[in-house]
Amino acid sequence: MTTSNGRESAGIVPHLRRRLRVVAQLGLLIALVCAVAQQRGFKVSTPEAIKTEFNSVPCKNEERMAAVKALFERVGATESDETVEKYKSVENFVIRKPGASPETIIIGAHYDKVSDGCGAIDNWTGIVAVAHVFSAVREVPLQKTVLFVAFGNEEKGLMGSQAMVGAIDKNQRAQYCAMINIDSLGLAVPQALDNVSSKKLTQLAADLAEEMKMQFSHASVGVADADSSPFVAKKIPAVTIHGLSNDWQSILHTRNDQVSKINPLSVYLGYRLALALLIRIDSSACTAYR
């Protein structure tokens, strides 16, 4: 997530010191989502599988692209699925899952990090969530085409997402139904970053969380920016889902952004919400969230 230091945050819920009552809720949540998943053939990852992904996190920028590729292949991608889209100063890793129509949903997270810290929260948590959403739907026929994207150089000014949306012909934008961005899970319950998100998609996220009996909140982080912003600017509906707590400024963009700060249950809930968003958008009219 791209932020400005010293800015106040609003609406961010406290740190998971009491595990956010997640443990009490988790059994019900898993039962609900697994029942739906089994009916439609989705393979939902377990909290344990999500936790395992943080046994090893690449802490150097030059290692991140290869690690993204290895992660997606570990959850079922093949080399034929993968494309590295190269622009002047950035590379995006893209997996395209064709749907019944050319109408398109983008779900993504940035893979780069700032120089300090390991970039575990910001944003390896987002990469893990997107990879597991891909794993859940990869063998299920979808109505819409889905692009799973690992954006490069977000921390240098949203360069990967700017390049992707800039390459979409103006006449083709109408077939891009929605963009789901996952950025910095792991500290608190899932939240929509309202100031860089479309209103109808933030409301959809809140509605789905309520359906799943999941805690959810809204937040605006000062003048923070995220990879949803370029899509919103081009009138493509987009939402950023994060999981930050009130002490996020002591972790993000500092040496404290380490694996030890991650609560895997928070990442799991963010992943589940992202998957629910993708499924609901796929079954809706492309214009539903404009």
Side-chain angles (χ1 to χ4, degrees):
M1 183 175 293
T2 302
T3 65
S4 295
N5 291 333
R7 298 287 181 174
E8 294 183 357
S9 59
I12 299 180
V13 299
H15 190 270
L16 296 176
R17 290 189 177 90
R18 290 186 295 275
R19 299 170 69 86
L20 304 170
R21 299 195 298 275
V22 166
V23 174
Q25 297 179 350
L26 200 55
L28 175 59
L29 174 61
I30 292 172
L32 286 170
V33 300
C34 286
V36 173
Q38 288 173 358
Q39 291 174 4
R40 295 195 56 184
F42 298 109
K43 296 181 179 179
V44 179
S45 299
T46 64
E48 291 75 18
I50 296 294
K51 182 178 181 180
T52 299
E53 299 294 0
F54 300 105
N55 289 343
S56 177
V57 172
C59 295
K60 297 179 179 179
N61 262 321
E62 57 267 29
E63 300 172 342
R64 304 282 268 207
M65 174 66 87
V68 168
K69 175 179 168 66
L71 171 57
F72 273 87
E73 290 179 357
R74 193 161 62 248
V75 299
T78 65
E79 288 193 3
S80 62
D81 297 324
E82 305 164 0
T83 302
V84 176
E85 295 185 352
K86 297 183 179 182
Y87 302 93
K88 288 183 179 180
S89 55
V90 66
E91 294 183 344
N92 294 337
F93 178 89
V94 180
I95 290 181
R96 181 177 184 272
K97 176 179 169 54
S101 81
E103 293 179 337
T104 301
I105 303 167
I106 298 171
I107 178 167
H110 73 88
Y111 65 87
D112 63 309
K113 58 177 285 295
V114 297
S115 57
D116 291 337
C118 186
I121 295 289
D122 184 13
N123 184 33
W124 200 249
T125 57
I127 292 293
V128 166
V130 172
H132 279 262
V133 171
F134 165 76
S135 178
V137 304
R138 69 185 183 89
E139 295 181 351
V140 179
L142 298 177
Q143 293 300 309
K144 297 175 176 61
T145 295
V146 181
L147 302 181
F148 301 87
V149 186
F151 293 109
N153 286 353
E154 187 265 3
E155 300 291 4
K156 293 182 179 180
L158 313 180
M159 294 176 69
S161 53
Q162 291 273 19
M164 171 170 264
V165 77
I168 300 172
D169 187 271
K170 183 177 181 180
N171 295 326
Q172 298 297 316
R173 289 177 196 163
Q175 76 177 29
Y176 285 80
C177 309
M179 186 272 183
I180 304 165
N181 181 50
I182 313 299
D183 196 340
S184 302
L185 302 171
L187 299 177
V189 298
Q191 297 155 74
L193 191 59
D194 290 345
N195 52 312
V196 296
S197 301
S198 305
K199 289 183 178 180
K200 288 186 178 181
L201 283 181
T202 58
Q203 185 59 53
L204 176 63
D207 292 344
L208 289 171
E210 184 176 4
E211 288 178 23
M212 294 189 290
K213 313 300 181 186
M214 181 190 297
Q215 288 179 281
F216 180 80
S217 186
H218 294 269
S220 295
V221 184
V223 292
D225 225 337
D227 281 321
S228 57
S229 301
F231 293 88
V232 172
K234 297 297 185 181
K235 301 190 184 305
I236 296 172
V239 60
T240 287
I241 301 298
H242 70 90
L244 296 179
S245 56
N246 280 334
D247 59 352
W248 66 272
Q249 289 182 334
S250 68
I251 298 172
L252 264 65
H253 296 187
T254 77
R255 63 183 181 181
N256 296 321
D257 188 349
Q258 303 290 339
V259 174
S260 61
K261 298 295 184 180
I262 296 173
N263 187 309
L265 293 177
S266 169
V267 182
Y268 174 78
L269 292 177
Y271 147 71
R272 283 299 302 117
L273 182 58
L275 177 57
L277 279 164
L278 178 64
I279 294 169
R280 184 63 60 85
I281 295 167
D282 181 64
S283 62
S284 302
C286 193
T287 56
Y289 304 104
R290 293 192 182 276

